[in-house]
């Protein structure tokens, strides 16, 4: 009675009908699959296998290319400088051998299917491996024991001139220290030998066949298939089926040409693929048809019928069990009639729960991204962090960065023009824009907001040879982005060196971009600074005698000459390509020298502090040396304007400097100057030393000698005439004073300047 009551219940019927509909759909779909036949399935599986084999061949080519790159890298090592003759055997430089072994270990650690790398000289019995050095005979007897390819074979092979070659895979034995026997640990290895036509040493790379097949994902091929790799002479160097005989197949294919050739023979289909990389031939043997088609078809029909019967029975049982929980869910969703289940109400409730779950999931992903960002920034700065954060960062780095190498790029933004608004960039939008742009132009990357208007991008690079190409594409992207995406901003991008994709190298890359920002060469073109392209120099041009004139020219109202000195110093430093961090102190020294003018005029300390703060902010945020120059010129004009406003009487720095600059050739003395400034000689002397930092006589001599040096460089006047024109009573006094301040006589100075002029090809310094 209870069962009948449930069957009469509309809610129960709804559930049963729904489950029965599922059963009907399952029956129809299975029947369609059955009608399609197994032969159609085979065609599809065969086509999929063809794609898998092509991908496997591509990975094989990439693997052989990586091995060639490794061999080239080893042959290019600077430590391979042996010059061994028959009379110098055993005299190898062990220090170079040790350095070479260390470098080989670094090169091959990233390739897991390399069993060992052996380097030996044509005329030497010493072999260098990643584990150390060993005698060639001991190496091939204890570690790579093989009757055919023994030590005598390899020594003879190495002494003869040969090109690069790949030897067929063989079983190699290894010494077992526990049993004291050889051939206890058999490994199937493939040997790649380098050519010795250019180099006088040989490189043997032993590849583990099992690991190599795992690397190329051989298991993804269709079951029952096999793959054979043939070299350019069609010698089999690797086969996944030991007993496979291709003599008849290859003889029938000799007349056929093309990149892909197919032959059906004795129940199998043979597909031949020609490699574009090294001319190798790959033979893929595939069964022509699935075996025992009829028993499989009958079994399939029985399975379908049994499945339908059990599905109908299960639908009824599940309806009984689902009815009660569905009624509870309906009540929780606000339903009133327990006999009626409104699936629309349940569906709307589930949709609401799903939306809430999606929102919660988004918040969790955002929190996870923030934690990863925090852990990444802490890793860059080597700050101590929790074990959970460090583990999360390592896992994320390992999962996302499949490339072998990476480089770090630091993006710095500054609003163009006079405005320098903080927070004018949207961090989320900018992060996404950089990530998408780099993804399209350079490849895989991860972008983090490092604070203010700085963003860090970790860019994956496949191999060390691809770094230059990646930097070139990065320059192209930055040029496009600066013009079209962030046209209101100036960009400066610093690129680190290339590092293996390990979390331990992140701090080194961060140090590169941090130091590269300071050490970038002044005058470098383009917004992208490549750390590897920075050329280190210390030849800063900073003429003290010219710098001392800045405040004097400003005091005398000669702004044009002051700006000329600034431009000359900046131009010469740009020619010498000094570093950015070297130019800033030079600019600050010029600024503080000009700032003395405001201090001497008793200007408002608040005004001086504001001028200093504005200048320091502009130099700190400057991207190019022209920005620092503009800030210095603007500061010079502001100081000159302030000095004019502070000039209230004749006794001020501007008036004194202007008078001396105009009358330095006259007989100037304290009494005369005090009379001109309408004060006493003693007060004038004290005021002058406090204002200019030197006494009156030293200042007069520096002004006169500065003009004298210019006359010595640019005119043919005699020393006596120049002394007279610059205010000295006789040539003896002029010569003595000149030698006191500069250490040489005027005549010697003129000869030195003429020599430098001739050496520079007629260009004055």
């Amino acid at each position: 009675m209870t069962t009948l009551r449930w069957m009469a219940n509309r809610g129960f019927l709804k559930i049963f009908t729904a489950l029965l509909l599922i059963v009907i759909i399952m029956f129809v779909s299975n029947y369609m699959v059955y009608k399609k036949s197994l032969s159609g399935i085979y065609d599809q599986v065969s086509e999929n296998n063809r794609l898998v084999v092509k991908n496997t061949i591509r990975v094989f080519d990439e693997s052989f290319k990586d091995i060639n790159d490794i061999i080239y890298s080893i042959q290019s090592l600077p430590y391979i400088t042996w010059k061994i003759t028959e009379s110098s055997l055993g005299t190898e430089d062990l220090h170079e051998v040790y350095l070479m072994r260390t470098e080989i270990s670094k090169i091959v650690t990233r390739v897991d299917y390399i069993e060992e790398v052996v380097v030996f000289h044509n005329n030497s019995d010493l072999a260098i491996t990643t584990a150390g050095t060993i005698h060639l005979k001991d190496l091939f007897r204890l570690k790579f024991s093989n009757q055919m390819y023994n030590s005598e074979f390899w020594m003879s092979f190495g002494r003869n001139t040969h090109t690069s070659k790949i030897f067929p895979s063989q079983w190699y034995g290894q010494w077992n220290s526990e049993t004291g026997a050889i051939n206890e640990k058999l490994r199937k290895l493939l040997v790649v030998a380098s050519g010795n036509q250019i180099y006088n040493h040989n490189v043997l790379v032993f590849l583990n066949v099992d690991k190599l097949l795992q690397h190329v994902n051989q298991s993804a091929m269709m079951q029952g298939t096999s793959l054979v790799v043939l070299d350019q002479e069609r010698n089999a160097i690797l086969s996944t089926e030991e007993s496979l005989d291709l003599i008849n197949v290859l003889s029938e294919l000799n007349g056929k040409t093309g990149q892909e050739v197919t032959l059906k023979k004795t129940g199998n289909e043979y597909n031949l693929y020609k490699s574009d990389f090294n001319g190798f031939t790959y033979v893929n043997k595939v069964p022509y048809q699935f075996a025992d088609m009829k028993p499989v078809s009958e079994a399939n029909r029985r399975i379908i019928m049994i499945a339908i019967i059990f599905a109908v029975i299960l639908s009824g049982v599940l309806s009984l069990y689902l009815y009660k929980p569905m009624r509870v869910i309906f009540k929780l969703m606000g339903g009133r009639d327990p006999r009626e289940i409104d699936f629309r109400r349940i569906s709307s409730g589930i949709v609401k729960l799903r939306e809430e779950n999606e929102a919660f999931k988004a918040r969790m992903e955002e929190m996870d991204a923030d934690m990863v960002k925090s852990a990444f920034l802490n890793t860059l700065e080597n700050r101590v962090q929790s074990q959970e954060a460090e583990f999360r960062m390592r896992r994320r780095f390992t999962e996302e960065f499949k490339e072998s190498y990476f480089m770090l790029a630091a993006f710095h933004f500054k609003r163009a023009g006079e405005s320098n608004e903080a927070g004018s960039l949207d961090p989320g939008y900018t992060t996404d824009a950089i990530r998408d742009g780099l993804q399209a132009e350079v490849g895989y990357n991860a972008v983090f907001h490092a604070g203010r208007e700085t963003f860090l991008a970790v860019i994956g690079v496949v191999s060390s040879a691809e770094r230059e190409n990646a930097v070139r594409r990065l320059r192209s992207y930055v040029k496009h982005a600066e013009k079209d995406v962030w046209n209101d901003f100036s960009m400066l991008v610093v690129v680190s060196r290339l590092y293996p994709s390990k979390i331990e190298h992140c701090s080194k890359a961060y140090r590169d971009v941090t130091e590269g920002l300071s050490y970038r060469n002044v005058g470098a073109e383009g917004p992208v600074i490549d750390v590897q392209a920075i050329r280190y120099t210390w030849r800063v041009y900073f003429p003290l005698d010219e710098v001392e004139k800045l405040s004097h020219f400003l005091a005398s109202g000669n702004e044009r000459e002051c700006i000329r000195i600034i431009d000359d110093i900046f131009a010469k430093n740009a020619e010498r390509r000094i570093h950015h961090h070297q130019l800033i102190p030079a600019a600050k020294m010029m600024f503080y020298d000009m700032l003395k003018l405001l201090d001497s005029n008793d200007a408002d300390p608040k005004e001086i502090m504001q001028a200093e703060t504005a200048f320091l902010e502009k130099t700190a945020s400057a991207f190019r040396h022209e920005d620092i120059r503009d800030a210095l010129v603007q500061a010079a004009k502001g100081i000159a304007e302030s000095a004019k406003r502070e000039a209230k009487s004749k006794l001020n720095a501007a008036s004194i400097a202007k008078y001396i600059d105009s009358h330095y050739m006259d007989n100037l003395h304290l009494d005369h100057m005090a009379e001109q400034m309408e004060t006493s000689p003693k007060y004038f002397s004290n005021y002058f030393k406090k204002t200019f930092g030197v006494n009156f006589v030293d200042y007069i001599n520096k002004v006169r000698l500065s003009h004298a040096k210019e006359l010595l460089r640019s005119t043919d006047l005699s020393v006596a005439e120049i002394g007279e024109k610059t205010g000295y009573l006789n040539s003896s006094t002029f010569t003595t004073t000149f030698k006191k301040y500069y250490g040489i006589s005027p005549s010697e100075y003129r000869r030195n300047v003429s020599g430098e002029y001739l050496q520079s090809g007629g260009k004055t310094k």
Side-chain angles (χ1 to χ4, degrees):
M1 293 295 293
T2 304
T3 304
L4 293 175
R5 186 168 64 252
W6 281 3
M7 293 180 62
N9 192 295
R10 287 173 292 178
F12 174 82
L13 290 177
K14 287 183 179 180
I15 297 174
F16 181 77
T17 303
L19 293 176
L20 192 60
L21 181 61
I22 294 174
V23 172
I24 295 173
I25 294 174
M26 289 175 57
F27 168 75
V28 173
S29 62
N30 277 274
Y31 185 76
M32 290 175 64
V33 171
Y34 169 73
K35 291 296 291 182
K36 192 174 181 181
S37 80
L38 293 177
S39 60
I41 297 176
Y42 170 81
D43 292 338
Q44 186 175 2
V45 172
S46 178
E47 181 61 28
N48 291 338
N49 181 72
R50 188 184 300 273
L51 297 177
V52 170
V53 170
K54 287 184 177 180
N55 183 67
T56 301
I57 292 172
R58 181 185 62 80
V59 179
F60 260 118
D61 287 347
E62 292 178 354
S63 301
F64 288 134
K65 182 179 179 182
D66 290 341
I67 297 302
N68 288 340
D69 292 342
I70 289 174
I71 291 175
Y72 176 76
S73 299
I74 294 174
Q75 290 177 329
S76 303
L77 287 175
Y79 312 114
I80 305 181
T81 59
W82 310 335
K83 296 181 179 179
I84 299 177
T85 62
E86 293 182 357
S87 62
S88 62
L89 293 177
T91 61
E92 297 88 348
D93 189 336
L94 294 182
H95 176 65
E96 289 189 354
V97 170
Y98 170 75
L99 293 178
M100 181 178 174
R101 199 273 302 173
T102 303
E103 292 299 326
I104 292 174
S105 299
K106 293 180 181 178
I107 293 173
V108 303
T109 50
R110 63 186 178 86
V111 184
D112 59 348
Y113 51 82
I114 292 182
E115 185 78 11
E116 185 57 274
V117 174
V118 179
V119 181
F120 64 94
H121 194 276
N122 296 347
N123 299 318
S124 174
D125 293 334
L126 179 67
I128 302 176
T129 69
T130 58
T133 58
I134 187 173
H135 196 280
L136 272 173
K137 292 184 178 180
D138 292 338
L139 175 67
F140 293 108
R141 179 175 61 86
L142 299 176
K143 192 171 182 180
F144 301 105
S145 175
N146 186 278
Q147 293 182 353
M148 179 181 298
Y149 300 115
N150 51 26
S151 59
E152 288 77 10
F153 172 83
W154 291 117
M155 293 172 68
S156 174
F157 178 76
R159 283 192 291 268
N160 296 324
T161 303
H162 58 268
T163 59
S164 298
K165 184 176 181 181
I166 299 180
F167 291 86
S169 59
Q170 294 282 334
W171 290 98
Y172 289 81
Q174 184 174 351
W175 173 265
N176 191 323
S177 58
E178 296 179 357
T179 62
I182 300 178
N183 294 337
E184 290 287 338
K185 299 179 180 179
L186 292 178
R187 299 152 299 159
K188 195 170 187 180
L189 304 178
L190 187 70
V191 183
V192 182
S194 69
N196 61 356
Q197 295 171 319
I198 299 177
Y199 302 96
N200 60 0
H201 55 274
N202 298 275
V203 181
L204 302 180
V205 181
F206 289 84
L207 307 181
N208 190 303
V209 173
D210 292 336
K211 293 183 179 179
L212 179 61
L213 293 178
Q214 291 178 5
H215 176 71
V216 301
N217 197 15
Q218 179 219 354
S219 60
M221 293 191 299
M222 188 172 68
Q223 189 174 7
T225 62
S226 58
L227 185 67
V228 181
V229 183
L230 308 177
D231 61 10
Q232 293 92 336
E233 288 78 22
R234 297 223 170 165
N235 298 317
I237 62 174
L238 178 63
S239 176
T240 60
E241 184 178 339
E242 296 288 346
S243 60
L244 183 61
D245 185 7
L246 295 177
I247 297 177
N248 295 331
V249 175
L250 293 177
S251 62
E252 292 188 23
L253 291 170
N254 279 334
K256 298 183 179 181
T257 60
Q259 291 296 108
E260 296 184 18
V261 180
T262 301
L263 174 66
K264 295 179 181 179
K265 185 178 179 64
T266 63
N268 294 313
E269 182 179 273
Y270 295 88
N271 298 311
L272 271 71
Y273 304 90
K274 192 72 175 291
S275 171
D276 294 329
F277 168 63
N278 51 17
F280 281 13
T281 303
Y282 296 85
V283 182
N284 177 225
K285 188 191 81 170
V286 185
Y288 185 57
Q289 267 190 339
F290 289 142
D292 300 329
M293 293 286 292
K294 187 175 181 180
V296 173
S297 301
E298 293 178 355
N300 188 53
R301 284 195 297 269
R302 288 196 298 268
I303 291 173
I304 291 176
M305 296 305 298
I306 294 173
I308 292 174
I309 295 172
F310 275 96
V312 173
I313 297 174
L314 186 61
S315 298
V317 175
L318 286 177
S319 300
L320 296 175
Y321 280 94
L322 290 176
Y323 174 67
K324 186 175 181 180
M326 291 296 292
R327 187 173 60 178
V328 174
I329 294 174
F330 179 65
K331 288 182 179 180
L332 292 176
M333 296 297 177
R336 296 182 180 180
D337 189 355
R339 297 172 301 173
E340 179 68 28
I341 297 178
D342 190 350
F343 286 99
R344 289 176 298 180
R345 183 184 294 273
I346 295 177
S347 176
S348 62
I350 293 175
V351 170
K352 183 178 179 181
L353 290 174
R354 186 170 58 206
E355 292 175 351
E356 293 177 354
N357 184 58
E358 290 294 333
F360 177 76
K361 182 179 178 182
R363 289 195 298 270
M364 291 297 295
E365 290 177 352
E366 185 177 352
M367 292 176 61
D368 182 69
D370 290 340
M371 292 181 67
V372 170
K373 171 188 171 183
S374 177
F376 176 73
L377 296 179
N378 289 336
T379 301
L380 293 182
E381 299 179 1
N382 282 326
R383 289 188 296 210
V384 179
Q385 54 185 336
S386 65
Q387 293 183 351
E388 180 183 355
E390 183 177 358
F391 173 76
R392 186 188 299 268
M393 187 62 217
R394 287 182 179 274
R395 185 189 65 187
R396 181 77 171 267
F397 199 87
T398 304
E399 290 177 352
E400 294 193 2
F401 278 86
K402 306 300 183 184
E403 287 80 0
S404 302
Y405 298 91
F406 80 95
M407 59 184 183
L408 187 67
F411 287 74
H412 302 275
F413 292 86
K414 186 182 74 170
R415 182 170 287 279
E418 297 295 330
S419 175
N420 191 20
E421 303 174 9
S424 53
L425 279 175
D426 180 13
Y429 169 78
T430 305
T431 300
D432 294 340
I434 295 176
R435 182 188 300 112
D436 296 341
L438 290 177
Q439 180 68 37
E441 190 72 28
V442 183
Y444 179 78
N445 66 90
V447 182
F448 301 91
H449 180 216
R452 295 182 63 84
E453 295 181 346
T454 300
F455 298 82
L456 300 175
V458 185
I459 302 173
V461 181
V462 176
S463 64
S464 57
E466 287 294 318
R467 183 187 184 278
E468 183 178 351
N469 191 28
V471 173
R472 180 182 58 79
R473 294 196 300 267
L474 177 63
R475 293 183 189 275
S476 175
Y477 162 70
V478 172
K479 181 179 180 181
H480 164 75
E482 190 176 30
K483 179 180 179 181
D484 299 335
V485 183
W486 291 289
N487 54 359
D488 293 334
F489 291 85
S490 296
M491 295 177 62
L492 188 64
V493 183
V494 186
V495 187
S496 74
R497 296 177 177 85
L498 198 66
Y499 292 95
S501 293
K502 294 183 179 179
I503 193 68
E504 292 80 7
H505 298 302
C506 289
S507 58
K508 299 178 184 178
Y510 183 67
R511 186 165 60 251
D512 282 352
V513 298
T514 303
E515 293 177 353
L517 187 64
S518 299
Y519 280 88
R520 63 187 187 270
N521 296 115
V522 170
E525 296 182 358
V528 177
I529 307 298
D530 186 357
V531 171
Q532 289 189 183
I534 293 177
R535 297 295 174 262
Y536 294 92
T537 181
W538 55 91
R539 298 171 55 250
V540 180
Y541 177 74
F542 193 74
L544 293 175
D545 55 338
E546 293 291 312
V547 173
E548 290 179 354
K549 297 178 184 179
L550 294 176
S551 59
H552 303 161
F553 282 131
L554 289 181
S556 62
N558 193 350
E559 293 181 19
R560 179 177 298 178
E561 192 64 22
C562 177
I563 296 175
R564 183 196 65 77
I565 294 176
I566 294 174
D567 289 339
D568 181 64
I569 293 175
F570 272 77
K572 284 185 169 61
N573 280 309
E575 290 176 2
R576 301 180 181 204
R577 296 178 67 82
I578 69 170
H579 303 298
H580 183 81
H581 77 92
Q582 295 171 336
L583 184 62
I584 291 179
K588 290 181 179 179
M589 290 291 292
M590 289 187 279
F591 171 76
Y592 287 122
D593 186 87
M594 296 185 296
L595 201 63
K596 292 189 300 185
L597 182 61
L598 293 182
D599 186 48
S600 64
N601 287 343
D602 296 328
D604 185 2
K606 185 177 180 180
E607 182 182 356
I608 297 177
M609 183 179 68
Q610 290 176 347
E612 180 183 16
T613 302
F615 175 75
L616 294 179
E617 288 179 352
K618 291 178 180 178
T619 54
S621 61
F623 278 5
R624 297 166 183 83
H625 73 282
E626 291 89 354
D627 300 334
I628 302 177
R629 179 264 177 196
D630 294 341
L632 196 59
V633 169
Q634 187 176 357
K637 293 180 179 179
I639 292 172
E641 186 65 27
S642 298
K644 291 178 182 178
R645 293 197 304 267
E646 296 294 334
K648 298 178 181 178
S649 65
K650 288 187 177 182
L651 190 60
N652 58 74
S655 300
I656 295 172
K658 185 175 182 180
Y659 187 84
I660 292 174
D661 194 54
S662 303
H663 299 83
Y664 67 90
M665 69 293 295
D666 300 334
N667 185 20
L668 298 180
H669 49 79
L670 281 175
D671 292 340
H672 176 77
M673 292 300 300
E675 181 180 353
Q676 293 297 321
M677 299 297 117
E678 300 178 355
T679 185
S680 65
K682 183 177 181 180
Y683 183 83
F684 175 80
S685 177
N686 293 334
Y687 175 84
F688 189 94
K689 188 166 185 178
K690 174 186 175 184
T691 303
F692 291 91
V694 295
N695 59 45
F696 176 70
V697 175
D698 284 340
Y699 184 87
I700 288 293
N701 282 328
K702 287 183 178 181
V703 172
R704 287 172 173 172
L705 293 177
S706 175
H707 288 280
K709 285 170 62 178
E710 185 63 32
L711 293 175
L712 287 170
R713 284 196 300 263
S714 59
T715 68
D716 295 330
L717 296 175
S718 66
V719 172
E721 290 174 331
I722 291 175
E724 182 180 353
K725 283 183 174 295
T726 53
Y728 292 98
L729 297 178
N730 52 63
S731 61
S732 176
T733 303
F734 170 59
T735 302
T736 303
T737 305
F738 193 96
K739 193 168 185 179
K740 174 184 176 183
Y741 281 89
Y742 297 114
I744 57 175
S745 66
S747 300
E748 291 174 327
Y749 176 80
R750 171 174 276 175
R751 285 196 297 272
N752 292 341
V753 171
S754 300
E756 292 178 359
Y757 178 83
L758 293 175
Q759 290 178 4
S760 62
K763 297 180 181 179
T764 58
K765 293 188 177 181

